Amino acid sequence: MTIKLDDVAKLAGVSKTTVSRVLNNRGYLSEETKKKVNKAMKELNYQPNAVARQLFRKKTNLVGLIFPTVDNPFFGELVAELEPRLFKAGFKVFIGNSMNDPEKEKAYLRELISNQVDGLIVGAHNYNIDEYMNTNLPIVAIDRIINKDIPVISSDNYQGGKLATELLIKRGAKFIVITDGPLSLQTPAHKRRQAYQDVMKAHGLEPRTFLINFSWSIEKKKRSIEKMFQKFPTMDGVFATNDIDAAMVWQTAEELGIEVPADLKIIGYDSAHSTRLLLPKLTTIEQPISAMAEAAVHTLLQRISGENIICEQVLPVRVWHGRSV
């Protein structure tokens, strides 16, 4: 009697699809499910054939993108750069807008895996999501550390932080505050703050960090920035680690009658096209968004093809000179 995939599924109490996923190490699977299927295969002495192994190795030509919000100019432009490159390579795109909600990110991740996408490019800001650890799916991360097996594409965050802080000091600022996101977030972007601290200490100045959570609403961020002005009434420089925060700092300064850059010098980070169009006077650190998208797509295609890849790619940044410093 020939033991079939259906027999294993029946004994394990799972679907035929689940057995195939276990065989091919594909998709999200709990450890309990894996144990049940492997136990059933052992009891039945099931020998998987080539057809069974290929059942879930069909290429779908679909790629999933998961980002915190396309409402942010940086992520919006990044998605706009990724999609046409993937389309040119023969892939259609599913976009998951996680809104910085870990449960929503998990839901998107499970849905994308169940739809058998060929790969994922992720930049969402949640962490400790087990689903990323339990899939054999090719994944590339942008400015986010997931685990040592998933390659990371980022700009030179340390150099960016160094350029920003040195420019503020060069223009005469001494009481400089940096805004940064939650310290628990696993991202190379924290190197911006590290560079700021190193440069400040090298010049004999005291580093001061003001935390603004990336996931907060605009209203909550605005209230927080108002508190920053109350906490540091003599600050004469702000290094905002993203352009949205920089814009809100500038707006709050104007409402308080503080002149930029005469009384307060501000520098942001990201320099998306839309930001430069709407805020041409904002001095900011320009991330190479197009080059980051190109590197991410190239790396993902290499992973899908089973080629060797570079685990970390760091791309150069530069200053976009406006009039806020």
Side-chain angles (χ1 to χ4, degrees), residues 97-121:
N97 198 30
S98 73
M99 300 303 292
N100 304 299
D101 181 346
E103 293 306 316
K104 191 173 182 182
E105 184 172 346
K106 289 179 185 179
Y108 270 127
L109 184 55
R110 288 169 179 165
E111 183 66 22
L112 289 169
I113 292 172
S114 68
N115 276 286
Q116 294 298 300
V117 293
D118 294 326
L120 290 173
I121 297 177

Side-chain angles (χ1 to χ4, degrees), residues 10 18 32 43 52 71 78 82 91 101 104-105 127 129 165 201-202 240 266 295 302:
K10 185 177 181 180
T18 298
E32 182 182 356
E43 288 183 14
D71 189 40
L78 189 56
L82 289 167
F91 294 89
D101 181 346
K104 191 173 182 182
E105 184 172 346
Y127 52 94
I129 293 181
T165 312
K201 290 175 182 177
I266 304 170
Q302 286 182 308

Side-chain angles (χ1 to χ4, degrees), residues 221-278:
K221 280 188 177 184
K222 190 174 190 318
R223 291 195 301 270
S224 181
I225 288 171
E226 289 170 352
K227 291 178 181 178
M228 181 177 74
F229 278 85
Q230 295 169 7
K231 183 176 182 180
F232 305 117
T234 60
M235 67 180 178
D236 55 6
V238 173
F239 172 25
T241 51
N242 66 77
D243 286 339
I244 296 294
D245 289 355
M248 296 183 71
V249 169
W250 195 338
Q251 181 185 40
T252 303
E254 287 184 339
E255 291 171 355
L256 294 172
I258 298 171
E259 292 188 16
V260 176
D263 303 321
L264 180 67
K265 297 168 182 20
I266 304 170
I267 187 165
Y269 206 106
D270 285 337
S271 191
H273 292 319
S274 58
T275 304
R276 294 205 303 266
L277 179 65
L278 297 172

Side-chain angles (χ1 to χ4, degrees), residues 153-222:
I153 312 296
S154 67
S155 68
D156 193 337
N157 288 284
Y158 190 88
Q159 178 65 7
K162 185 171 181 287
L163 289 171
T165 312
E166 287 179 342
L167 180 57
L168 287 166
I169 294 172
K170 182 180 179 181
R171 298 294 169 83
K174 298 184 184 302
F175 194 125
I176 303 170
V177 177
I178 186 173
T179 68
D180 199 10
L183 305 182
S184 57
L185 185 64
Q186 298 298 307
T187 170
H190 283 321
K191 293 178 181 178
R192 302 171 194 175
R193 187 183 73 256
Q194 183 60 57
Y196 155 82
Q197 293 173 338
D198 291 345
V199 172
M200 291 289 284
K201 290 175 182 177
H203 284 80
L205 301 172
E206 182 181 349
R208 295 174 175 88
T209 300
F210 189 82
L211 297 180
I212 300 177
N213 196 313
F214 186 87
S215 64
W216 287 349
S217 67
I218 293 296
E219 292 76 15
K220 187 172 182 179
K221 280 188 177 184
K222 190 174 190 318

